[in-house]
């Protein structure tokens, strides 16, 4: 069977979605899960764009061993140098260099002639090849580029040493027939096309990213670039889970294999949704909560008699299993550790003990501990940054009555180590808490978005709060989960504030 490489860009293109801002710890957890999923290549970030991205790419490169790790770079020596510094210790160093090739981009964005674009691309690939054995070159906005020009420039970068040629539909304009035909044309017309691997990269502005990606495979592409849950700029990217499952279910038609461990899809989707704060729509193919739900009486009757009457995909295929309750308030530390390892978490003894204590406290309050509860507890502990001086919530108390003005009192520790108590009012409990926390940080904070959702079901379910704020000239997202949604909301607010502190430290470290 023909092997199709899955190039996951959740941590780069996916993170460019509005409102998403992952820190290094979160990126590392997602990268480790992508490795368990079996993706061929992980685009860990854009190292030259920020100190945070550089650190994340560097840590992922030294942690991930079974997937190739790559970083994005503009066609300039400075970017390539920074990317090499981030990736030089990777198991299989890979760089992704790009430059726009469409007339509109060359004229208005680059202010370069076609000849200058060819010259810059060739120079960048030759320079990158001095360090990297694997060099991918992308023609940004390739679909809207002149075909003959694409043949010229791709022929030159292949001669310069490129090992992969990416043909992006950057603005999501292509139709499947057109996009497939472009790959067929390029592979036939470029003299040395057999020396490289062709890759697709599709955006979903017209809702055709997955169909376009599969059309590319049908016409010679041997790599597809995609993201978990289809996240990405504007309408998003091609959804990895849809491509992976479609190629598997219709193997009779496509006759290719991806090497993906499909049973990890659901867990990967939930982790990315949790850490990015981007909910998955209920009717989303493969990973939506309604993907295997049947409400129609006729459908239910058919499924009970034979699931294949209406289900072409089994829930088990993508890891959507009915997980038996294996842990409760009487469970011991050893059983908890085994379950954590089974879920893919690697915690040292200190953090495992803290997570176990939190589990025991939750088990005393809840009748059933679900897998979602465990994932939340273990993820939060894995991402804990106890070694950095940040704001730490000690307690929050709200006085509320329908005829009284809501008042919130917060006791917290500042990054300086000083413990303070502050109070404020608001038109509701949540606003009172946010007004109090704004007094705590002594800076103007604008709430851009705020939402609360349940983790699991039932009246005793954990509540997860996600908040986006504008603070000190930047935008930051915070999240937390607790049985008390007001406490979760306060913790999410401080999580967003703390992200600014962490980024400021990284910037200061770079300047030093």
């Amino acid at each position: 069977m023909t092997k199709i490489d899955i190039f996951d860009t959740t941590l780069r293109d996916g993170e460019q979605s509005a409102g998403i801002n992952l820190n290094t710890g979160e990126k590392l957890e997602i990268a480790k899960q992508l490795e368990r999923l079996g993706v061929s290549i992980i685009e860990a970030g854009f190292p030259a764009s920020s100190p945070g991205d550089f650190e994340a790419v560097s840590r992922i490169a030294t942690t991930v061993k079974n997937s190739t790790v790559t970083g994005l770079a503009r066609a300039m020596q400075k970017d390539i140098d920074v990317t090499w510094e981030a990736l030089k210790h990777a198991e299989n160093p890979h760089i992704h260099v790009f430059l726009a090739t469409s007339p509109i981009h060359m004229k208005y964005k680059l202010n370069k002639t076609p000849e200058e674009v060819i010259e810059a691309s060739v120079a960048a690939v030759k320079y990158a090849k001095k360090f990297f054995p694997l060099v991918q070159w992308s023609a940004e906005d390739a679909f809207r580029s002149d075909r003959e020009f694409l043949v010229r420039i791709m022929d030159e970068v292949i001669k310069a040493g490129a090992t992969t040629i990416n043909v992006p539909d950057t603005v999501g304009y292509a139709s499947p027939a057109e996009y497939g035909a472009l790959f067929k044309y390029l592979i036939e017309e470029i003299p040395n096309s057999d020396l490289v691997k062709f890759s697709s990269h599709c955006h979903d502005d017209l809702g055709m990213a997955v169909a376009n990606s599969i059309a590319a495979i049908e016409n010679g592409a041997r790599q597809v670039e995609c993201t978990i849950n289809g996240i990405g700029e504007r309408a998003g990217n091609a959804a990895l889970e849809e491509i992976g499952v479609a190629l598997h279910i219709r193997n009779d038609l496509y006759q290719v294999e991806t090497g993906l461990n499909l049973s990890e899809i659901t867990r990967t989707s939930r982790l990315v949704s949790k850490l990015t704060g981007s909910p998955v729509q209920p009717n989303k193919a493969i990973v939506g909560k309604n993907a295997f739900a049947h409400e129609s009486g006729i459908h239910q009757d058919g499924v009970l008699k034979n699931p294949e009457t209406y289900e072409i995909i089994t829930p088990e295929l993508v890891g959507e299993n009915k997980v038996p309750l294996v842990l409760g308030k009487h469970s011991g530390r050893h059983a908890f550790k085994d379950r954590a390892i089974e879920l893919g978490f690697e915690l040292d003894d200190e953090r495992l003990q803290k997570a176990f204590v939190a589990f025991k406290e939750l088990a005393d309050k809840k009748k059933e501990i679900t897998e979602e509860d465990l994932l939340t507890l273990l993820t939060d502990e894995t991402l804990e940054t106890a070694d950095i001086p940040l704001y730490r919530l000690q307690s929050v108390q709200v006085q509320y009555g329908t005829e009284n003005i809501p008042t919130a009192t917060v006791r917290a520790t500042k990054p300086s180590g000083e413990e303070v108590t502050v109070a404020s009012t608001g038109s509701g409990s949540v606003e009172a808490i946010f007004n109090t926390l704004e007094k705590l940080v002594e800076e103007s904070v604008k709430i851009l978005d705020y939402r609360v959702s349940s983790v699991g079901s039932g009246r005793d379910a954990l509540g997860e709060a996600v908040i986006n704020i504008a603070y000190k000239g930047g935008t930051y997202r915070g999240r937390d989960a607790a049985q008390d949604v007001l406490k979760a909301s306060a913790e999410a607010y401080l999580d967003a504030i703390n992200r600014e502190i962490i980024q400021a430290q990284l910037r200061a470290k770079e300047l030093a």
Side-chain angles (χ1 to χ4, degrees):
M1 286 235 178
T2 301
K3 173 68 162 59
I4 301 299
D5 288 332
I6 300 297
F7 179 116
D8 181 273
T9 183
T10 301
L11 298 176
R12 200 276 300 171
D13 210 339
E15 198 203 11
Q16 291 175 199
S17 303
I20 294 179
N21 185 5
L22 298 167
N23 63 33
T24 298
E26 290 167 334
K27 280 194 165 191
L28 188 60
E29 282 307 305
I30 291 173
K32 289 191 290 187
Q33 181 58 34
L34 290 171
E35 183 181 27
R36 285 189 286 270
L37 177 60
V39 306
S40 306
I41 301 166
I42 298 171
E43 188 166 45
F46 188 172
S49 67
S50 72
D53 246 28
F54 177 89
E55 182 190 23
V57 173
S58 181
R59 285 188 61 187
I60 291 168
T62 55
T63 302
V64 169
K65 303 300 179 186
N66 297 319
S67 300
T68 296
V69 179
T70 190
L72 186 70
R74 290 165 295 189
M76 54 180 65
Q77 286 193 15
K78 176 192 164 206
D79 275 25
I80 295 167
D81 288 336
V82 173
T83 304
W84 173 246
E85 283 303 310
L87 287 164
K88 63 184 179 182
H89 298 299
E91 197 81 4
N92 199 15
H94 183 295
I95 189 171
H96 179 190
V97 180
F98 74 98
L99 194 60
T101 56
S102 66
I104 191 169
H105 276 242
M106 288 191 288
K107 179 178 179 180
Y108 293 103
K109 189 179 79 172
L110 300 180
N111 194 27
K112 289 181 182 291
T113 66
E115 295 304 322
E116 288 173 328
V117 169
I118 292 176
E119 183 182 344
S121 297
V122 169
V125 170
K126 282 183 176 178
Y127 186 72
K129 196 68 176 177
K130 293 179 181 179
F131 308 98
F132 293 89
L134 298 173
V135 177
Q136 172 169 313
W137 180 81
S138 284
E140 186 185 6
D141 204 22
F143 182 73
R144 295 194 298 173
S145 301
D146 177 76
R147 283 185 168 197
E148 292 182 1
F149 178 65
L150 285 179
V151 169
R152 282 183 60 208
I153 192 170
M154 288 177 180
D155 183 39
E156 292 299 325
V157 295
I158 292 171
K159 290 176 183 175
T163 54
T164 301
I165 298 294
N166 186 34
V167 187
D169 179 20
T170 303
V171 296
Y173 185 69
S175 70
E178 292 172 311
Y179 194 59
L182 177 59
F183 275 81
K184 186 173 186 295
Y185 172 82
L186 293 173
I187 292 170
E188 288 177 350
E189 296 298 321
I190 296 171
N192 296 315
S193 64
D194 59 320
L195 300 180
V196 296
K197 175 175 60 177
F198 280 82
S199 177
S200 73
H201 180 111
C202 299
H203 283 261
D204 207 36
D205 298 72
L206 295 177
M208 292 188 282
V210 170
N212 286 342
S213 299
I214 291 175
I217 291 171
E218 291 178 305
N219 286 275
R222 293 297 172 257
Q223 176 177 293
V224 287
E225 303 191 6
C226 40
T227 62
I228 299 298
N229 300 334
I231 64 173
E233 287 195 275
R234 304 183 315 277
N237 289 50
L240 181 151
E241 62 279 0
E242 294 178 24
I243 293 172
V245 173
L247 294 177
H248 173 81
I249 294 295
R250 295 309 314 273
N251 192 253
D252 61 318
L253 179 62
Y254 302 119
Q255 298 186 357
V256 298
E257 59 97 12
T258 62
L260 290 174
N261 179 3
L262 297 180
S263 64
E264 290 289 336
I265 278 181
T266 296
R267 187 176 298 165
T268 311
S269 169
R270 289 174 180 169
L271 179 67
V272 169
S273 177
K274 180 184 294 292
L275 296 184
T276 59
S278 298
V280 176
Q281 67 190 64
N283 64 327
K284 170 78 168 63
I286 316 300
V287 292
K289 71 177 183 179
N290 292 344
F292 302 102
H294 302 277
E295 186 167 333
S296 161
I298 295 173
H299 284 216
Q300 290 174 347
D301 180 63
V303 169
L304 288 171
K305 291 174 179 174
N306 185 336
E308 291 184 11
T309 53
Y310 287 100
E311 287 184 359
I312 62 169
I313 309 164
T314 64
E316 291 76 19
L317 176 69
V318 295
E320 181 62 81
N321 301 321
K322 299 284 187 191
V323 180
L325 181 66
V326 294
L327 294 176
K329 67 179 182 179
H330 300 298
S331 298
R333 188 175 183 275
H334 185 73
F336 181 78
K337 180 179 180 179
D338 286 347
R339 191 75 175 110
I341 293 171
E342 184 183 334
L343 290 171
F345 290 91
E346 300 172 7
L347 298 173
D348 57 32
D349 288 343
E350 181 182 349
R351 290 193 168 183
L352 182 69
Q353 181 59 28
K354 286 179 68 178
F356 181 63
V357 169
F359 158 72
K360 282 289 192 178
E361 291 175 352
L362 184 60
D364 282 335
K365 299 173 185 176
K366 290 194 67 176
K367 292 181 180 179
E368 295 184 350
I369 303 297
T370 66
E371 180 166 350
E372 287 84 357
D373 295 331
L374 291 175
L375 285 169
T376 298
L377 291 175
L378 291 164
T379 300
D380 288 347
E381 188 52 50
T382 301
L383 299 174
E384 180 65 28
T385 51
D387 55 329
I388 301 175
L390 303 170
Y391 285 97
R392 305 285 178 184
L393 183 71
Q394 303 300 325
S395 68
V396 58
Q397 185 174 357
V398 178
Q399 292 179 311
Y400 174 78
T402 55
E403 296 182 357
N404 299 323
I405 298 175
T407 303
T409 304
V410 167
R411 183 165 56 88
T413 304
K414 291 187 170 187
S416 63
E418 177 190 6
E419 186 174 295
V420 296
T421 299
V422 288
S424 189
T425 60
S427 58
S429 300
V430 173
E431 186 185 19
I433 290 172
F434 290 169
N435 288 343
T436 302
L437 293 172
E438 188 171 26
K439 287 178 66 175
L440 171 71
V441 302
E442 300 176 317
E443 293 277 353
S444 174
V445 179
K446 182 179 180 181
I447 309 298
L448 302 176
D449 182 47
Y450 164 72
R451 61 181 180 273
V452 175
S453 57
S454 64
V455 176
S457 59
R459 67 178 64 189
D460 59 355
L462 292 175
E464 184 171 58
V466 178
I467 186 171
N468 283 287
I469 65 171
Y471 176 63
K472 287 189 175 181
T475 57
Y476 304 92
R477 177 195 51 80
R479 55 162 291 277
D480 191 71
Q483 277 195 299
D484 182 348
V485 295
L486 296 181
K487 178 179 182 294
S489 300
E491 292 279 19
Y493 186 106
L494 289 183
D495 182 39
I497 296 294
N498 287 333
R499 287 169 190 266
E500 187 281 329
I501 295 173
I502 294 169
Q503 285 200 14
Q505 286 192 1
L506 286 170
R507 287 193 295 270
K509 190 184 298 183
E510 183 188 36
L511 291 172

